Amino acid sequence: MDPIPRRSGPTWKQFLISQAKGILAMDFLHVDTVLLRRLYVLPVDLGDRVGSLRFLSRDRDAKFTAAFDAALAPVGIDVLRSPVRAPRANAIAERWVSSVRREWALS
């Protein structure tokens, strides 16, 4: 058997770098307070990128409803749901969430 031929297109790393300005990673998180209250947080940092966003990368959490996705359609943002049981698919948002939870636990 001959080896698989190399693709002529960009590598995965090159693709991500070229599309990075148009992708927004998002994740809901919740933290429980000392008073046993649950706070929900939706971290988003758009800045001046709002006009250049084309994709929203999110996990399959039930907190993201169909209405949430539908609200993004009129502004031209396509929602990309991560594969089932693949937390590394949205690694940037997941890492940020874990950092917030660690900091919250220390305060």
Side-chain angles (χ1 to χ4, degrees):
M1 270 177 120
D2 292 333
I4 298 173
R6 294 207 177 256
R7 296 181 184 196
S8 61
T11 65
W12 182 244
K13 182 178 179 179
Q14 291 169 335
F15 171 77
L16 289 178
I17 290 170
S18 68
Q19 297 297 321
K21 292 181 181 177
I23 299 174
L24 175 66
M26 181 182 290
D27 196 10
F28 266 113
L29 74 127
H30 70 269
V31 289
D32 296 323
T33 68
V34 178
L35 300 174
L36 301 176
R37 294 188 62 201
R38 180 165 281 182
L39 303 176
Y40 291 94
V41 181
L42 178 63
V44 179
D45 182 14
L46 296 176
D48 58 354
R49 295 178 43 207
V50 72
S52 64
L53 292 177
R54 292 194 52 226
F55 303 103
L56 169 74
S57 173
R58 67 167 181 82
D59 58 13
R60 294 174 176 266
D61 195 331
K63 295 177 190 119
F64 289 108
T65 63
F68 180 88
D69 294 347
L72 298 172
V75 293
I77 297 177
D78 294 324
V79 176
L80 305 173
R81 295 186 306 163
S82 63
V84 177
R85 296 184 181 206
R88 290 177 26 181
N90 198 9
I92 294 171
E94 296 291 339
R95 181 174 293 163
W96 193 88
V97 166
S98 65
S99 297
V100 168
R101 286 192 174 137
R102 274 194 307 276
E103 290 293 325
W104 189 269
L106 295 175
S107 60

